[in-house]
Amino acid sequence: MYLRYSFRLEPTSGQRVALARTFGCARVVYNDALAARKAAYQADRSRIPVGALAKRVITEAKKTPERAWLAEVSVDALQSSLRDLDTAYSNFFASVTGQRRGRRVGLPRFKSKKETRHTVRFSRNGFRLRPDGRLNLAKIGDVRVRWSRPLPSAPSSVTVIKDACGRYFASFVVEIDPDTLPPSDSEVGIDLGLTTYAVLSNGSTIDNPRFLRRAERRLRKAQQVLSRKAKGSKNRAKARTRVARAHARVADARRDWCHRTASRLVRDNQAVYLEDLAVSGLARTRMAKSVHDAAWGTFRRVLEEKAARYGRHVGVVSRWLPSSQTCHVCWVVDGKKPLHVRTWRCGSCGTEHDRDLNASRVILAAGQAERLNAPGGPVRPGAAIPYQAQPVERGTHPKAQPDTTGSQTGTPAFQGGEDAKRIPSGWCLGTRAPGRGAFIVRGRVW
């Protein structure tokens, strides 16, 4: 597997000028290539190959007076810019045709000179590591690196980044072997929130650090100073850098906290189960600032990456799972509850529940059931039917199933006893479908 290792760079004043020149040339080549591809498509809907495009916007452009200064920087950085453009087009077409998951990716756009973040990538031919620890970049020189840890293997490429507050970083791509941790018997479900960041099914909690809220006063003062500076002045540029530096402190602290917390969860548990939260939707509500400050999406991504690296499992259950409405003792769906209700009593078994702790235990049971039934039903006629999932209705328009979950009446989904013993994962919120191991919850098969 491939990982990125980032280290802080300390270029000299001359190296800063050379890096700025490289950033600018890479941006110009990218924009020229994008303009050429757009013109070719509008003319006869043709696509210029990458080799012909590189010859036009790099090799032949260097011979013209308007682009002669492209020869002052490394050609490796310019070619990497063209590869980035080709990747952007590939992602766009894959997104349009449905081959790429996630949000729809738009067409590549022209890069602006006024952007505050600049990047340029060097392949193996454009950089080398010196014995004294310095990073040699083509036509830039030996740059000092703050090494915080050794690289596990020889890097295949390096990306030089200048962020909005003027810091320089070197991001190395290295290939490593997965470091599998010893097996653990512990599995945990997590209910994410805002008042308490996470409530674990074992009863422990993780406090919400609220990095942005704690830094709001300092950010507000810096933004007020920026708003009073004349546009286009050097003092405004300095104030803008101070605002960016204050935001960078918040982002760095949040990122470090996510990595530390995720590492601890992955180290202590064999499997971690989360709920698939609609973060983009919650970020458009009145709780938007708190949702962005919590960074649930970043936390989930970091957790999945570390689990893949160390041989652990991260399961994500459906966002439509009624985790806050279901009793984890008798599995009765008790109905919706407003957010101010933090504790409730089950109307069937009388158990007193903490809202978040109960939700985390329901998420744990649902995640274990989904992991147990992960193979699914047969995919072709005559195939052997696995024990975990018998053939059920899985069409585009499934037959309507009776709602026997008891969500309105408080009727238990199953009577416990021997049924509960046969289903150790505990996710039994609906009637049993034809065949053992699959359950129908409001017309959906689990």
Side-chain angles (χ1 to χ4, degrees):
M1 62 184 303
Y2 291 90
L3 290 181
R4 283 192 175 272
Y5 283 70
S6 295
F7 303 93
R8 184 77 177 269
L9 293 180
E10 294 181 347
T12 63
S13 57
Q15 291 170 347
R16 291 173 185 266
V17 173
L19 284 171
R21 186 183 301 115
T22 305
F23 291 143
C25 292
R27 183 189 68 251
V28 169
V29 168
Y30 184 93
N31 291 341
D32 290 348
L34 179 57
R37 290 198 62 168
K38 285 180 176 290
Y41 182 80
Q42 292 176 359
D44 54 0
R45 295 184 177 272
S46 62
R47 176 182 177 275
I48 307 176
V50 178
L53 195 61
K55 183 178 180 181
R56 179 189 300 186
V57 300
I58 298 178
T59 307
E60 295 179 355
K62 290 180 180 180
K63 302 176 183 179
T64 62
E66 295 82 6
R67 295 287 188 267
W69 33 266
L70 290 177
E72 299 177 4
V73 302
S74 171
V75 68
D76 184 74
L78 304 182
Q79 292 174 345
S80 297
S81 184
L82 294 182
R83 288 192 291 269
D84 291 341
L85 177 62
D86 191 62
T87 302
Y89 267 108
S90 300
N91 292 337
F92 166 72
F93 290 121
S95 179
V96 169
T97 57
Q99 301 176 7
R100 179 184 173 91
R101 299 178 60 185
R103 286 187 174 183
R104 180 66 61 87
V105 177
L107 280 168
R109 296 181 296 180
F110 292 100
K111 293 185 178 181
S112 173
K113 185 178 181 180
K114 297 182 180 180
E115 291 179 357
T116 57
R117 186 178 185 274
H118 306 279
T119 62
V120 66
R121 189 173 68 257
F122 295 87
S123 65
R124 294 182 184 273
N125 298 327
F127 79 98
R128 60 176 55 90
L129 295 175
R130 299 296 190 187
D132 59 356
R134 293 179 180 265
L135 173 64
N136 178 266
L137 301 174
K139 294 193 176 181
I140 294 176
D142 295 343
V143 185
R144 183 181 177 186
V145 185
R146 292 186 186 177
W147 296 104
S148 57
R149 52 183 173 173
L151 291 175
S153 62
S156 60
S157 67
V158 60
T159 303
V160 180
I161 305 169
K162 180 185 178 183
D163 63 4
C165 55
R167 300 178 301 178
Y168 292 85
F169 295 91
S171 179
F172 298 93
V173 176
V174 297
E175 185 177 5
I176 66 169
D177 296 327
D179 187 13
T180 305
L181 293 175
S184 174
D185 297 332
S186 175
E187 295 187 0
V188 68
I190 300 178
D191 180 66
L192 298 176
L194 294 177
T195 303
T196 302
Y197 191 87
V199 177
L200 278 61
S201 58
N202 56 16
S204 59
T205 60
I206 301 175
D207 294 333
N208 191 349
R210 294 184 176 87
F211 294 105
L212 181 62
R213 295 290 186 180
R214 292 190 300 178
E216 271 187 324
R217 184 176 182 276
R218 183 170 62 251
L219 291 170
R220 183 172 62 253
K221 293 294 184 182
Q223 191 66 47
Q224 288 175 350
V225 173
L226 173 63
S227 65
R228 298 189 181 104
K229 303 301 181 184
K231 292 186 177 180
S233 63
K234 292 185 177 180
N235 285 335
R236 185 178 179 86
K238 295 177 183 178
R240 184 203 60 76
T241 303
R242 284 192 288 270
V243 172
R245 191 176 296 116
H247 279 285
R249 292 195 194 99
V250 175
D252 291 345
R254 183 187 297 116
R255 191 182 305 110
D256 178 73
W257 182 87
C258 287
H259 277 275
R260 291 176 182 272
T261 306
S263 297
R264 184 172 66 253
L265 290 172
V266 169
R267 183 177 60 250
D268 297 341
N269 301 280
Q270 183 67 31
V272 180
Y273 302 100
L274 302 169
E275 191 174 7
D276 183 21
L277 298 175
V279 180
S280 59
L282 293 171
R284 292 193 294 267
T285 64
R286 59 185 178 87
M287 302 182 294
K289 183 181 290 187
S290 297
V291 171
H292 284 299
D293 193 14
W296 292 327
T298 302
F299 177 74
R300 172 180 165 180
R301 176 182 57 81
V302 171
L303 191 64
E304 290 175 343
E305 291 174 354
K306 291 185 180 296
R309 180 179 179 182
Y310 295 111
R312 301 303 201 196
H313 175 76
V314 173
V316 181
V317 301
S318 172
R319 67 184 60 172
W320 306 111
L321 172 72
S323 58
S324 298
Q325 309 174 27
T326 306
C327 172
H328 77 275
V329 177
C330 63
W331 303 104
V332 169
V333 180
D334 200 60
K336 293 185 178 180
K337 302 169 183 62
L339 287 176
H340 70 270
V341 177
R342 308 314 303 174
T343 59
W344 57 282
R345 183 181 297 275
C346 177
S348 177
C349 64
T351 307
E352 187 78 17
H353 292 296
D354 178 86
R355 181 191 183 107
D356 298 332
L357 178 60
N358 175 76
S360 65
R361 291 175 176 173
V362 172
I363 291 172
L364 172 63
Q368 290 175 337
E370 286 193 11
R371 188 181 182 187
L372 181 66
N373 295 330
V379 296
R380 61 185 181 273
I385 300 176
Y387 175 80
Q388 291 87 353
Q390 297 289 337
V392 293
E393 185 69 35
R394 293 182 183 271
T396 307
H397 302 285
K399 297 179 180 178
Q401 301 289 342
D403 184 2
T404 57
T405 59
S407 58
Q408 304 298 329
T409 62
T411 304
F414 75 114
Q415 300 300 324
E418 295 299 321
D419 283 343
K421 294 178 182 179
R422 284 198 296 266
I423 311 297
S425 57
W427 182 235
C428 306
L429 298 185
T431 59
R432 185 162 10 201
R436 301 177 60 183
F439 286 83
I440 298 175
V441 182
R442 298 186 181 179
R444 182 175 178 181
V445 178
W446 293 84

